[in-house]
């Protein structure tokens, strides 16, 4: 620490208890946010015959948990200066969420899209993203992911990216306690406890929902960014071009079968004396081992 | 592994596959059907094609020798040495899996001043507990815990590794699995093992709307996380079995980039969204004092009391207990609603519950449409009687 001489000019108390130390001058922080396009509804059904997913319509949206990641990045940039870049891996249609991020205030965006990336599990997804991050050729200080998605729902991609990039990570961040151009101090949920943790850049965090209230896309930014390009990277743009490491081929897990959960369609209506009713409830609770 | 291939000599551009694909992954570009990056390799297009123009081309790959990987390893989750109960549940499944393929059961315990506690694990039917005891491991830090995991896996080469789906476990597991470039299946609700040691993992996705069966066919170890209270715990035996082995590591393993400045135990804050059992009260409750009765029922069932919005509005309960659109979403195993009509703004927050019991004296109340067990009756009669019967059972009856 003594290497650096910081000059603390001011401490703002930002809304939602985000305390941030502001440093005079400097280059700000370069932040990358990973965002994913997910189906607009999770009310999917499984076709019993074919075992495939049937969705009501094909509408997609930005993974709601990623809004918190993006909001956190935008707030940090407002305070420290620097830049916010968003990256996604997905089909070409996923450009829509990069556009949405521009409307919220992201500076740069990039989509990783290639047939070779299709069918990726967590391992292959995180590898593709880590390769994409390297290909962006920008030394990011901080990478922010959402806590999980609403479709795959594993919450594993963030830590896996951090491992591929060999940088430290902290998950379930509930609050940014302090930040400057060299390090970040966060409050982490650890289950039974909260830890206040300090990480030097570069590092990766995954943020919990409710860390900050995400802003809405702005009409002004929509007009302003309408022509901003969304570069698309394919396998050819990545350093490692070995197809075996991407998509289905690069996946260690394999989904063998998809099926509907056991539907609790069983319904009973009980009428009668209160004694009978009580017995019915009591026996049911006992059968199910609640008592 | 492989990919989907289109034979353009057979394809007559009938577009059946375009309509069939649930992911919009097929398009026509320059008068040719092409597959884009949205493809999930679900193979429905293959079945749909009337011209047999689409096929799956298997790609041969070098197969690993699964016999070189032996053992089912359980990661011991703990807070400052206090073992988290999910650990015993993991040992419970680990033993069942290990028995099927005749493998040993291992535990990995990383912490400080934990040797005595490690001895306790020997009462649960594990073969060996590997203990890494260092000052640096007192608090969970994902980077150095990963290093330890790497060390133990390199030494033992376990086939299966089970980690609790706790906040720390879900941070650690993907990091370790990625270090070994292998698969990790999240939040498994059911585990089984094939004769060739492939772990069969069942997990919910899409917010529980679908279930997926997942395997890790060509990499080892096979990692899986399991949430707390999903599996049945191992029973404590009367005599210890197996042994505790103390492990040493190089200093380089201990170097962490994560600096913990402060750690505070959580205050036991009320969180109905985590509760497994909920007793919910609505406007069928006549006086605030009567909530005590429902609280008692919740206590007896090891659950929490929750309420509908009107009860919060009159100040009978705090907002943190409100279920519904403008309150909390809950997904307990059991919810008993008492004197609740079942407005959609309420049911939206609880219809994911596994078992719904509704007590209401109005046979036509909409709550009976979502209830699995509809009890048409007066809660002021049913609840006290029910409490009585449960208490009777607890006081040594039956
Ligand atoms: C039913 C089902 C079950 C599955 N189960 C497993 C499983 O157990 N193990 C497994 O390895 N794979 C599994 N998969 C595949 C896996 O879910 C996804 O395909 C994988 O690409 C992303 O994981 P996720 O959606 O769970 O992301 P999460 O790990 O939940 O996402 C966390 C964060 O990572 C970032 N992120 C995730 N994906 C992207 C992306 N494409 N682009 C940019 N940022 C992203 C976002 O910030 C996000 O908030 C499953 C798929 C299905 C359909
Ligand atoms: C925008 C919006 C958001 C809302 N958000 C929420 C929300 O988050 N959560 C929420 O709960 N509500 C919410 N509401 C209110 C909701 O619409 C209902 O008004 C409310 O859920 C009704 O609560 P209740 O079932 O307790 O009361 P009531 O609808 O009055 O039902 C009481 C029930 O008790 C039964 N009963 C009476 N006496 C007895 C007895 N002795 N034994 C057995 N049964 C008896 C009656 O038959 C009746 O069905 C919201 C409304 C709006 C407009």
């Amino acid at each position: 620490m003594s290497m650096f001489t910081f000059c603390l000019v001011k401490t703002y108390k930002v809304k939602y208890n985000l305390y941030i130390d502001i440093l005079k001058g400097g280059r700000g922080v370069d932040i990358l946010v990973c965002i994913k396009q997910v189906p607009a509804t999770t009310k999917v059904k499984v076709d019993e015959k074919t075992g495939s997913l049937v969705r009501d319509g094909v509408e997609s949206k930005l993974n709601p948990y990623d809004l918190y990641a993006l909001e956190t990045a935008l707030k940090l940039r407002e305070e420290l200066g620097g830049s916010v870049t968003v990256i996604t891996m997905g089909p070409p249609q996923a450009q829509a969420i990069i556009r949405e991020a521009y409307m919220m205030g992201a500076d740069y965006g990039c989509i990783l899209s290639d047939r070779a990336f299709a069918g990726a599990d967590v391992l292959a997804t995180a590898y593709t993203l880590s390769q994409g991050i390297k290909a962006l050729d920008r030394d990011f200080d901080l990478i922010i992911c959402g806590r999980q998605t609403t479709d795959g729902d594993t919450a594993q991609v963030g830590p896996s990216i951090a491992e591929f990039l060999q940088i430290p990570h902290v998950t379930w961040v509930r609050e940014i306690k302090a930040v400057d151009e060299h390090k970040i101090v966060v409050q982490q949920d650890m289950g039974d406890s909260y830890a206040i943790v300090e990480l030097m850049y570069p590092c990766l965090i995954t943020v919990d929902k409710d860390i900050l209230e995400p802003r809405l896309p702005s009409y002004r930014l929509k007009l302003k960014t309408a022509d901003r390009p969304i570069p698309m990277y394919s396998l050819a743009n990545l350093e490692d071009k070995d197809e075996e490491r991407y998509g289905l081929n690069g996946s260690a897990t394999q989904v063998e079968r998809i099926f509907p959960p056991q539907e609790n369609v069983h319904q009973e209506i009980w009428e009668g004396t209160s004694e009978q009713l009580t017995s019915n409830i009591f026996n049911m609770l006992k059968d199910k081992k609640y008592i | 592994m492989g990919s989907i291939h289109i034979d353009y000599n057979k394809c007559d551009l009938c577009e059946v596959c375009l309509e069939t694909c649930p992911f919009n992954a097929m398009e026509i570009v320059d008068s040719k059907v092409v597959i884009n990056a949205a493809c999930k390799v679900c193979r429905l297009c293959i079945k749909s094609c009337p011209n047999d123009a689409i096929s799956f081309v298997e790609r041969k790959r070098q197969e690993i020798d699964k016999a070189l990987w032996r053992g089912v390893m359980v990661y011991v989750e703990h807070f400052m040495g206090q073992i988290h109960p999910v650990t015993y549940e993991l040992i419970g499944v680990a033993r069942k899996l290990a028995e099927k393929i005749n493998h040993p059961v291992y535990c990995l315990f990383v912490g400080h001043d934990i040797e005595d506690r490690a001895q306790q694990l020997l009462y649960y039917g594990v073969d060996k507990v590997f203990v890494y005891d260092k000052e640096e491991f007192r608090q969970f830090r994902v980077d150095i815990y990963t290093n330890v995991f790497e060390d133990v896996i390199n030494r033992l080469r376990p086939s299966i590794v089970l980690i609790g789906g706790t906040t720390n476990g879900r941070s650690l597991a993907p990091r370790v699995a990625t270090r070994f470039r292998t698969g990790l299946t999240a939040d498994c609700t059911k585990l089984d093992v094939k004769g060739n040691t492939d772990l069969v993992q069942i997990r919910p996705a899409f917010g529980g709307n679908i279930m997926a069966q997942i395997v890790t066919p060509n990499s080892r170890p096979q990692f899986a996380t399991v949430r707390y209270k999903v599996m049945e715990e191992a029973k404590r035996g009367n005599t210890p079995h197996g042994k505790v082995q103390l492990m040493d590591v190089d200093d380089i393993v201990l170097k962490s980039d994560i600096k913990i400045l402060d750690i505070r135990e959580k205050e036991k804050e009320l969180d109905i969204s985590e509760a497994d059992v909920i007793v919910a009260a609505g406007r069928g409750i006549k006086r605030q004092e009567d909530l005590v009765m429902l609280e008692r029922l919740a206590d007896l069932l090891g659950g929490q009391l929750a309420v509908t919005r009107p009860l919060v509005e009159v100040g009978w309960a705090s907002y943190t207990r409100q279920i519904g659109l403008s309150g909390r979403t809950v997904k307990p195993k059991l919810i008993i609603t008492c004197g609740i009509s079942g407005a959609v703004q309420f049911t939206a927050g609880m219809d994911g519950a596994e078992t719904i019991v509704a007590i209401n004296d109005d046979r036509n109340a909409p709550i009976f449409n979502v209830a699995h067990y509809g009890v048409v009756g007066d809660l002021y009669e049913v609840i006290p009687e029910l409490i009585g019967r449960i208490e009777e059972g607890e006081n040594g009856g039956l």
Side-chain angles (χ1 to χ4, degrees), chain B residues 282-284 286 308-310 322-327 339-343 345-346 359-362 365 377-380:
Chain B
R283 276 219 300 219
K286 305 280 181 294
T308 58
R309 190 162 93 168
Q322 181 187 322
I323 293 177
L325 208 57
S326 52
I340 291 177
S341 60
Q345 292 89 352
F346 171 76
I359 306 175
N360 194 308
D361 59 6
D362 174 7
D378 184 346
L379 72 93
Y380 281 94

Side-chain angles (χ1 to χ4, degrees), chain A residues 90-92 112-120 232-235 243 246-249, chain B residues 2-6 8 25-27 33-41 45 54-57:
Chain A
L112 308 172
S113 194
D114 195 305
R115 224 195 116 186
F117 304 157
M232 191 185 295
Y233 287 24
S234 66
L235 186 60
E243 275 198 41
Y246 298 91
L248 188 67
N249 291 319
Chain B
S3 57
I4 291 178
H5 177 80
I6 302 176
Y8 292 112
M26 313 197 73
E27 339 170 60
V33 175
V34 297
I35 302 174
N36 69 31
C39 175
K40 297 264 190 285
V41 204
C45 52
I54 313 177
S55 58
F56 185 75
V57 185

Side-chain angles (χ1 to χ4, degrees), chain A residues 42 115 160 163 167 169 172 189 191-192 194 196 198 244 249 254 256-257 259 264 267-268 270, chain B residues 4 39 59 61 167 171 175 178-179 209 211 213 215 259 261-262 264 266 354 371-372 374 385:
Chain A
T42 57
R115 224 195 116 186
S160 187
E163 176 64 23
I167 58 174
H169 84 263
W172 325 110
D189 188 341
D192 295 326
Y194 294 121
I196 308 291
E198 180 184 290
E244 293 293 318
N249 291 319
Q254 200 178 306
E256 275 194 328
R257 186 165 74 94
F259 57 99
N264 209 342
Q267 272 194 327
E268 284 179 39
W270 296 329
Chain B
I4 291 178
C39 175
R59 197 191 290 233
R61 58 152 70 175
T167 42
S171 177
R175 187 105 206 185
T178 301
R179 187 157 297 181
N209 286 300
M211 306 297 286
Q213 177 171 322
V215 287
K259 198 157 132 196
L261 305 179
D262 187 19
R264 264 182 305 119
K266 273 189 196 171
E354 219 170 278
H372 305 116
E385 280 179 42

Side-chain angles (χ1 to χ4, degrees), chain A:
Chain A
M1 279 306 299
S2 56
M3 290 171 59
F4 311 105
T5 30
F6 293 151
C7 175
L8 241 53
V9 284
K10 206 168 177 185
T11 304
Y12 279 115
K13 182 177 175 191
V14 191
K15 257 205 298 198
Y16 310 109
N17 291 330
L18 181 71
Y19 291 86
I20 291 174
D21 299 336
I22 300 211
L23 297 156
K24 192 178 185 176
R27 58 183 180 93
V29 279
D30 288 318
I31 307 174
L32 178 81
V33 184
C34 299
I35 59 177
K36 184 184 183 185
Q37 192 178 46
V38 296
T41 167
T42 57
K43 302 259 179 217
V44 290
K45 286 223 171 67
V46 181
D47 184 321
E48 295 262 18
K49 273 196 223 118
T50 59
S52 72
L53 299 180
V54 189
R55 292 182 180 143
D56 305 339
V58 284
E59 279 165 55
S60 312
K61 64 172 181 186
L62 174 55
N63 175 34
Y65 293 100
D66 297 344
L67 291 171
Y68 301 96
L70 184 53
E71 181 61 38
T72 306
L74 294 171
K75 272 275 168 24
L76 293 178
R77 185 196 59 190
E78 278 167 20
E79 302 305 326
L80 290 175
S83 65
V84 172
T85 306
V86 289
I87 190 169
T88 190
M89 179 194 89
Q93 303 91 290
Q95 282 184 5
I97 61 168
I98 303 283
R99 238 336 118 223
E100 192 177 335
Y102 285 168
M103 291 183 226
M104 285 175 68
D107 303 295
Y108 310 100
C110 153
I111 173 167
L112 308 172
S113 194
D114 195 305
R115 224 195 116 186
F117 304 157
D121 72 350
V122 167
L123 189 70
T125 300
Y127 187 65
T128 312
L129 286 167
S130 68
Q131 282 287 313
I133 292 166
K134 284 183 184 161
L136 285 173
D137 204 19
R138 209 185 168 94
D139 288 327
F140 292 106
D141 300 300
L142 178 64
I143 301 176
I144 310 183
C145 287
R147 65 170 274 172
Q148 68 187 77
T149 62
T150 51
D151 58 350
D153 199 353
T154 64
Q156 294 171 355
V157 169
S160 187
I161 293 173
E163 176 64 23
F164 277 122
L165 296 176
Q166 298 192 9
I167 58 174
H169 84 263
V170 161
T171 49
W172 325 110
V173 168
R174 307 172 73 240
E175 200 183 325
I176 310 285
K177 288 286 186 186
V179 63
D180 63 29
E181 292 182 333
H182 302 274
K183 62 179 190 301
I184 186 164
V185 179
V186 299
Q187 186 187 43
Q188 173 192 20
D189 188 341
M190 303 233 288
D192 295 326
S193 58
Y194 294 121
I196 308 291
V197 175
E198 180 184 290
L199 292 169
M200 304 295 287
Y201 302 141
C203 62
L204 181 146
I205 61 174
T206 77
V207 299
D208 217 330
K209 73 175 173 120
D210 300 338
I211 181 168
L212 290 163
E213 185 75 28
R215 68 195 65 192
L216 295 170
S218 107
Y219 183 67
R220 185 183 59 81
L221 285 171
K222 181 178 176 167
L223 297 181
K224 196 174 151 202
T225 62
D227 299 326
R228 188 178 295 168
I230 300 176
M232 191 185 295
Y233 287 24
S234 66
L235 186 60
N237 301 103
L238 304 183
E239 184 187 58
D240 181 354
K241 297 180 177 54
D242 180 2
E243 275 198 41
E244 293 293 318
R245 302 202 62 179
Y246 298 91
L248 188 67
N249 291 319
S251 294
T253 63
Q254 200 178 306
V255 178
E256 275 194 328
R257 186 165 74 94
I258 283 179
F259 57 99
Q262 270 187 338
E263 288 251 7
N264 209 342
V265 285
H266 176 89
Q267 272 194 327
E268 284 179 39
I269 296 281
W270 296 329
E271 288 173 279
T273 65
S274 66
E275 216 165 273
Q276 283 166 343
L277 295 174
T278 307
S279 283
N280 285 353
I281 305 176
F282 184 82
N283 292 334
M284 186 273 299
L285 292 177
K286 203 147 183 283
D287 279 352
K288 292 188 185 275
K289 297 200 167 66
Y290 287 105
I291 42 182

